[in-house]
Amino acid sequence: DAGVTQSPTHLIKTRGQHVTLRCSPISGHKSVSWYQQVLGQGPQFIFQYYEKEERGRGNFPDRFSARQFPNYSSELNVNALLLGDSALYLCASSQDRGGETQYFGPGTRLLVL
Amino acid sequence: SQQGEEDPQALSIQEGENATMNCSYKTSINNLQWYRQNSGRGLVHLILIRSNEREKHSGRLRVTLDTSKKSSSLLITASRAADTASYFCATDAGGGFKTIFGAGTRLFVKA
């Protein structure tokens, strides 16, 4: 079975632009979580979606939004990009609600210039 | 803010030695997990220990949990060069919908 996939792998944007990152969970997994990891730090929780509904949200501004589709894939959108948004964005899926074992994708590395 | 704090921040050992990493957290939890990350790639789940468990083993890994002290430790025995990675603890922060990671311990195993 395929693991969690994310696209694109790398992305370069300029300040003020918008970006959409995509994630496909492991088949059968209904929960998707998004994390931001700045170099040298641990992943910071952004969102968790379960059965297409937002179940958890971290301390991120409203410029960050996400959604989950009927096939359980997910998109993370970031508007009005800032230099500080440069990071590795990780997607993780799990069978059930959050708090259980999560399976991570390889991440999307975003650079904002 | 991050729930967990790993200690030490960095650790350098020789192949064959044991490596011990510690994690402290702030709020009540349902479970605590340890993950490994190689060179800024995706995280790999290592082990999950529930709040009613005190110790758990998986291969060369041993995890302990002390809920009274809000702390956990990860022991890697007989380390190998391939164990070189960053190790993170993660907690469910009691609610289940928000996973909080620590800042990580960077382990370097010299061959």
Side-chain angles (χ1 to χ4, degrees):
Chain A
D1 280 342
V4 177
T5 60
Q6 291 185 244
S7 64
T9 55
H10 295 81
L11 203 53
I12 300 175
K13 292 285 189 179
T14 57
R15 282 178 298 174
Q17 284 189 314
H18 160 270
V19 69
T20 297
L21 309 181
R22 296 177 175 84
C23 171
S24 291
I26 292 172
S27 177
H29 285 193
K30 299 179 180 178
S31 175
V32 170
S33 296
W34 287 95
Y35 297 85
Q36 179 196 66
Q37 187 178 24
V38 174
L39 192 63
Q41 298 182 18
Q44 294 277 346
F45 174 80
I46 309 175
F47 287 110
Q48 199 234 0
Y49 276 77
Y50 177 68
E51 285 285 14
K52 298 166 289 250
E53 291 188 5
E54 180 183 307
R55 296 302 183 97
R57 186 185 184 106
N59 295 325
F60 280 82
D62 292 342
R63 299 185 296 108
F64 288 77
S65 64
R67 55 180 175 168
Q68 186 176 33
F69 299 100
N71 66 354
Y72 301 109
S73 67
S74 178
E75 283 183 354
L76 175 69
N77 295 284
V78 186
N79 293 323
L81 285 167
L82 303 174
L83 297 180
D85 295 330
S86 296
L88 179 68
Y89 288 85
L90 296 162
C91 171
S93 77
S94 57
Q95 284 187 318
D96 209 333
R97 64 176 180 85
E100 299 296 320
T101 299
Q102 296 181 68
Y103 297 85
F104 281 79
T108 293
R109 191 164 296 280
L110 172 65
L111 177 62
V112 182
L113 300 175
Chain B
S1 63
Q2 294 186 307
Q3 156 94 307
E5 295 291 337
E6 280 94 339
D7 168 51
Q9 290 185 327
L11 182 59
S12 181
I13 60 174
Q14 295 285 348
E15 212 169 23
E17 294 181 338
N18 295 340
T20 299
M21 288 159 264
N22 303 296
C23 166
S24 61
Y25 57 92
K26 298 174 183 175
T27 64
S28 62
I29 61 172
N30 293 317
N31 62 59
L32 184 144
Q33 302 177 57
W34 285 89
Y35 288 83
R36 184 187 74 220
Q37 184 178 39
N38 291 83
S39 301
R41 298 179 185 175
L43 281 75
V44 174
H45 181 261
L46 296 176
I47 198 165
L48 180 153
I49 186 167
R50 301 196 183 278
S51 60
N52 61 353
E53 298 176 305
R54 292 296 168 259
E55 187 171 314
K56 204 162 183 180
H57 296 254
S58 177
R60 295 184 295 113
L61 306 180
R62 172 178 169 256
V63 169
T64 61
L65 179 64
D66 186 336
T67 53
S68 66
K69 296 181 179 179
K70 292 187 170 60
S71 67
S72 174
S73 68
L74 170 67
L75 169 67
I76 303 174
T77 60
S79 62
R80 306 165 181 169
D83 294 329
T84 294
S86 292
Y87 292 82
F88 297 92
C89 69
T91 61
D92 64 341
F97 295 117
K98 188 173 181 178
T99 301
I100 308 298
F101 283 82
T105 291
R106 279 123 193 101
L107 174 65
F108 182 64
V109 181
K110 293 176 282 187

